[in-house]
Structures are given as structure tokens and as C-alpha cells.
Amino acid sequence: MKHIKTLNNANLKKTAVKGGCGECQASCQSACKTSCTVANQKCEK
Amino acid sequence: MIHKFNLNGYFIVLDVNSGGVHVVDELTYKLLDFVADPLPEECPREVLEALTPEYESEEILETYGEIYELYRDGILFSADDYAQFADRMVASPIKAMCLHVAHDCNLRCKYCFASTGDFGEGRRLLDFETGKKAIDFLIEKSKGRHNLELDFFGGEPLMNFDVVRQIVEYARSLEKEHNKLFRFTITTNGMLLDDAKIDYINKEMSNVVLSIDGRREVNDKMRPCINGKGSYDIILGKYKNLVEKRGYDQYYARGTFTKYNLDFADDVLHLYEEGFDQLSVEPVVSNPSEDYAITEADFPRIFSEYEKLAKEIIRLKKEGKAINFFHFMLDLDQGPCAIKRLRGCGCGNEYIAVTPDGDIYPCHQFVGMKEWKMGNLHDGSFNFKMKDYFSQTTVYNKSDCGDCWAKFYCSGGCNANNLQYAGDVLKSHKLSCELEKKRLECAIMIKAALAE
């Protein structure tokens, strides 16, 4: 494309179907303890 | 739903529901103001009319064609299909625990949400018997989960380190039998660190959070010792020792910024210059009446500081340097699944806090709020109804989140902050929301810059 560059796979919807295993880290256990940021956690799969 | 923003010379479009991130040219950016879902295949005449004085018709049609292609592929103006999953949210196994091994502290940080360590409940240490019950509880309630997380928290957990060791050893002794893996973390102010504790922490803890606010004068203003003197000179060398021995892996130098250091990017960079490359410096969350509180009037300065920090991180990374700022961490492809993003932090559902008295709370931020006590390890009580309530605290049940572009990144924010400062777990703490949105824009922009 000439006008648009897509940076990622945009696969969030696919993760809804197979996601939810619950093995990943609780967000507050990583560093924050005050300011919730879930999207910076790693997927364990 | 899309969100578009122009930052540091980049025109960026986020497709909220697919997670697609697009870097676009100025024409595309402007054109998106004139289109909405559902998009027709042909470029509408009013779009052409609106943009032709400035751009050639051919170029506008070409750009519209690209936009339509992304729309057709489901990565622009994609539909929100997630409510069906939110409706199916049920109570989860409890797999993460914040264990308050010490409701006491040897610092007197002015912004402490734990009332200088005791959470308003009196100074005390957790004993090993209660620690054992906490481990037993976690194993029992985590059926179906392999990875268990336990954060030694306080107050200051190093004030009760012998019990920390006992609990770690007890938990390790049960891992094989129950097919569990304990991941221990510890959050410390560093005052009592010595070589023996450092070696033990580096051997047993999968993550360690080292509290320090940044520059000496900034740290010492808010993080004094009991005698009023600063803590910076006591802790800095200990932290360097720990991190070096640890191989610079799986740790955070973690600070808090307040109204007194709105130039907090300099604190992040100070810590980086002192040799720490895993960094988290976060806004204080407090009652707005506190003299150090951050208010909406501070937003312009804070936003500009986040931008300054983002640009500096881009510069360092382009030079091949390692630096990681917690709030700018974003993996656009392999981040958490949508289910996790709907659920949010998991407090009160898969994450709980336990006090030295064995009281159970939804998380460390709820400790001391008696009406939110979930149970007690000694009398065996546990409020499953409250757990069910927290299992439903998804972004679709939070009134302000449904229309927000950032909902799949903050996942509804901190439930405790919502309760304390917006009056309801299900209402957003707007101040936190605005800061989070700015950080996300910076994080995405960094990705755009590094993709060049």
C-alpha cells in the first residue's frame, strides 16, 4: 500500500476464541501495584 | 471503532476491535474524518468534494481504495464481537496472591497508600503458620492452573525475611505433588538488602521490584527514613549490586512521580544512567487534596513529559541500547488474549491479597477496607459471592469503558482506584484513564518509530 502501513497482524479477535487459559501473570504482580495496565503482559502460550 | 492521533510526526490509526495499528499519511488521516462504518465500496462524492481543493482526485480515490481494503479485511472499523465473551465470564481459579508479610515499614514515604506500612490496622508481621495457610489456600483454590504467583509485599517484606524464606521453602516442597509452579516476586524498599538476601532473592524470585523514585532530591523528598533523612544513598548501591548479580534480568527499578517531580522523565533517565534498564515510574494515585497530588491541571506537563521520554527511548533503542519502560511496553502481536483484556486485573477473582492476620481482600489496594474483606485464613471463611461480583467486572460492565478506544489495553483500570476516587468499582477513575491513554499513544508511536 502506498498510503497506509499496517504494523501488526491485528489478530485480537482470533485470541478471543482460543484465549482465557489464565496462566499468564496477573498484571499487578509485575511492577505496577497502583496503575492497571493489562496490555503489557505476556501471553504464556 | 477507530482511534487516530498525530504524535511526533506520525499519523497513527488504531482499529480498536481487531487491535490493528496503521501508520498512515496525512491524506488518509484527514480522509478518515469523513467516513464511518459501514463504508461503501466507492468513495462517496462528499469525501471527494471535501478534500479536492487540497488533494488530487486520483490520489483521494487511491487512498479511499486502501482504506476500503482494510475495512473489507476486518482491520479497520471492525465490529465489536466481544460482548458475547463478556457475558460468559465466570469465577476463575485463584492463582495469584499478594502476601503482606509485614504490615510495618522502615521508611516513611509521604504518598504511601498503606498508611506508612500498617494499612491502618496496627504494625505487625505475618507468622509462618499464616504463611503456610496462605500457600495451602492458593494451592486449593487454583485447581486447573499450573502457574501460581505470589508477591511478597508489605509494608516492607525484608523486615520479615526469615518468614519469607520459610514460606518459599514450604511452597516449593508442595510444587511437585500438586503440579504447580510458584513464581515468587518481592517488592522492596531496599533498606535491609544485604548480600545474603540478594543471593536468596536472585535464586528464588522470578521478579523483583525495587522501589526508588529517581534523582536523589526527588527520592529523598518523598521517601525519607524514619529519622527523616533520605533513603537514596542507602539503597542505590544495594540495588546496583542486586541487579548486577541478577544479570540485569526480570526486575524493575520502580518509582512514583508526584506533583513535585512533573519532570519525571528526568528521573526515569537518571535511573537509566545509574545502570537500571528495566524501569517503571508511575503517577501517584491519591486524594486530590494532598499537596503532592496530581490533578487535571498537570496533564499538559505530564503529557509532554511522556512524549519527551518516548522520544528519548526511541533514540536510545535506535542506538541499540536496552531500555524498557513498563508503561510503554506493548507487544502488538503477542500480547494478552482478548479474554484477559476483557477481565482486566483479575482482582478479587483470580488475584487476592492476604494480611498478617490472615484476612483476605480482593487486592492489596483494598486492604483495610472492612466492607471489602473477603474472608480469613484462620476461620476458613471466604465470600464467594464477592468473588463472583469481581468476576463480572469486565470492560463491558463498566459504564465508561464501552465507548473508550483504550478499553482493551487498560481493561477497565484499577478497581480499587475506581472505588476510592470515582465511588464505584464499575466507574472509571478519569484521571487515571487520561494518563493511561496518553501512555498508550506514546507506546504505539514508539512502535511506529522503531518500525521505520
Side-chain angles (χ1 to χ4, degrees):
Chain A
M1 284 191 175
K2 192 173 149 194
H3 302 272
I4 303 173
K5 179 179 167 189
T6 299
L7 294 186
N8 61 347
N9 294 325
N11 57 1
L12 192 57
K13 289 195 177 189
K14 286 181 190 160
T15 70
V17 181
K18 292 185 178 174
C21 76
E23 293 291 354
C24 58
Q25 190 176 39
S27 55
C28 250
Q29 298 286 63
S30 47
C32 59
K33 294 286 185 189
T34 59
S35 46
C36 185
T37 310
V38 171
N40 62 5
Q41 303 302 311
K42 283 181 194 164
C43 176
E44 290 276 340
K45 280 189 176 174
Chain B
M1 185 194 307
I2 64 166
H3 172 65
K4 66 189 186 83
F5 58 98
N6 175 10
L7 183 55
N8 194 24
Y10 296 94
F11 295 101
I12 296 171
V13 181
L14 169 70
D15 182 53
V16 173
N17 294 318
S18 71
V21 174
H22 313 285
V23 181
V24 304
D25 63 11
E26 193 170 4
L27 168 56
T28 310
Y29 193 78
K30 286 182 179 172
L31 203 160
L32 286 167
D33 286 335
F34 299 96
V35 295
D37 186 35
L39 268 65
E41 191 167 350
E42 298 297 323
C43 180
R45 181 181 297 177
E46 55 270 27
V47 174
L48 270 171
E49 285 172 359
L51 294 167
T52 33
E54 203 176 347
Y55 297 95
E56 298 288 334
S57 300
E58 195 177 321
E59 208 179 0
I60 298 168
L61 291 172
E62 182 181 73
T63 303
Y64 185 86
E66 290 188 13
I67 289 173
Y68 185 78
E69 194 177 328
L70 298 184
Y71 169 69
R72 195 191 55 205
D73 291 346
I75 54 175
L76 200 62
F77 298 107
S78 61
D80 183 344
D81 305 327
Y82 300 107
Q84 55 174 318
F85 297 103
D87 289 344
R88 285 186 234 154
M89 289 294 170
V90 290
S92 302
I94 297 170
K95 53 97 178 199
M97 179 183 285
C98 184
L99 187 58
H100 293 224
V101 290
H103 270 192
D104 198 356
C105 192
N106 45 11
L107 288 185
R108 290 293 177 266
C109 303
K110 293 174 185 166
Y111 46 57
C112 183
F113 64 76
S115 309
T116 72
D118 72 355
F119 289 80
E121 295 187 322
R123 300 192 178 277
R124 64 197 75 176
L125 303 178
L126 182 130
D127 62 24
F128 179 47
E129 283 309 306
T130 308
K132 276 170 77 174
K133 285 184 178 175
I135 295 295
D136 293 342
F137 179 89
L138 193 51
I139 287 176
E140 181 199 323
K141 293 285 189 291
S142 62
K143 198 175 176 190
R145 295 285 184 270
H146 176 65
N147 297 322
L148 305 183
E149 300 153 35
L150 192 133
D151 186 35
F152 292 105
F153 200 63
E156 172 47 41
L158 296 192
M159 294 178 81
N160 197 14
F161 201 66
D162 287 342
V163 169
V164 169
R165 287 173 192 260
Q166 287 177 295
I167 293 169
V168 168
E169 281 153 28
Y170 178 69
R172 290 273 183 247
S173 76
L174 298 175
E175 281 181 320
K176 199 172 175 186
E177 177 189 345
H178 296 278
N179 188 29
K180 304 288 184 188
L181 173 67
F182 274 93
R183 288 172 175 162
F184 296 105
T185 61
I186 192 162
T187 302
T188 178
N189 66 26
M191 293 290 285
L192 296 175
L193 278 175
D194 56 30
D195 279 328
K197 291 193 187 79
I198 286 172
D199 290 343
Y200 190 80
I201 286 169
N202 285 346
K203 176 170 165 271
E204 293 290 354
M205 308 286 166
S206 62
N207 185 27
V208 53
V209 179
L210 309 168
S211 300
I212 182 169
D213 283 354
R215 292 162 291 181
R216 178 187 283 109
E217 64 274 18
V218 169
N219 182 82
D220 288 353
K221 182 177 177 68
M222 296 307 282
R223 302 184 64 81
C225 305
I226 295 171
N227 65 10
K229 291 185 178 169
S231 56
Y232 179 94
D233 287 333
I234 300 170
I235 60 175
L236 186 69
K238 294 170 191 269
Y239 286 171
K240 287 183 177 181
N241 185 20
L242 182 148
V243 170
E244 187 181 349
K245 282 185 162 186
R246 200 173 173 81
Y248 298 90
D249 192 32
Q250 298 292 307
Y251 75 96
Y252 280 99
R254 193 261 187 234
T256 298
F257 72 84
T258 71
K259 191 187 276 295
Y260 293 127
N261 62 318
L262 294 175
D263 56 348
F264 61 90
D266 288 349
D267 291 291
V268 177
L269 296 169
H270 171 78
L271 293 171
Y272 175 72
E273 282 156 18
E274 287 294 336
F276 304 101
D277 58 1
Q278 304 294 314
L279 301 157
S280 183
V281 175
E282 313 190 9
V284 71
V285 182
S286 70
N287 193 309
S289 64
E290 299 287 355
D291 57 358
Y292 55 77
I294 286 169
T295 64
E296 286 187 21
D298 301 318
F299 282 173
R301 180 63 202 274
I302 293 172
F303 291 176
S304 124
E305 205 66 13
Y306 275 129
E307 288 181 23
K308 173 182 157 184
L309 180 60
K311 288 174 193 171
E312 186 60 12
I313 287 173
I314 291 166
R315 187 185 72 76
L316 289 165
K317 282 188 179 279
K318 284 191 171 175
E319 284 178 6
K321 306 271 174 58
I323 178 168
N324 177 38
F325 182 65
F326 180 71
H327 272 154
F328 289 165
M329 279 167 66
L330 197 58
D331 185 335
L332 294 177
D333 285 317
Q334 298 295 323
C337 64
I339 303 298
K340 166 99 169 177
R341 293 171 193 245
L342 296 175
R343 270 194 193 135
C345 72
C347 95
N349 183 25
E350 56 182 15
Y351 171 60
I352 55 157
V354 169
T355 73
D357 294 330
D359 288 337
I360 303 167
Y361 285 91
C363 83
H364 56 290
Q365 295 268 3
F366 281 91
V367 167
M369 296 185 212
K370 293 296 179 195
E371 65 276 28
W372 291 94
K373 184 175 145 181
M374 295 184 83
N376 181 277
L377 294 177
H378 298 296
D379 66 18
S381 60
F382 188 71
N383 186 340
F384 286 96
K385 202 172 162 189
M386 192 182 290
K387 187 173 185 300
D388 285 342
Y389 168 77
F390 279 102
S391 76
Q392 301 296 315
T393 56
T394 70
V395 289
Y396 287 92
N397 286 331
K398 294 184 175 176
S399 52
D400 305 311
C401 298
D403 296 330
C404 177
W405 65 265
K407 63 187 170 193
F408 296 131
Y409 297 85
C410 77
S411 302
C414 170
N415 288 333
N417 288 348
N418 291 352
L419 175 69
Q420 282 174 287
Y421 304 113
D424 192 320
V425 167
L426 299 177
K427 284 186 180 162
S428 299
H429 178 224
K430 295 289 186 188
L431 192 129
S432 294
C433 293
E434 295 309 311
L435 296 177
E436 171 73 7
K437 284 191 267 190
K438 184 65 191 180
R439 290 193 295 261
L440 277 171
E441 289 186 346
C442 288
I444 294 170
M445 183 275 288
I446 290 172
K447 294 289 181 193
L450 295 178
E452 282 182 332

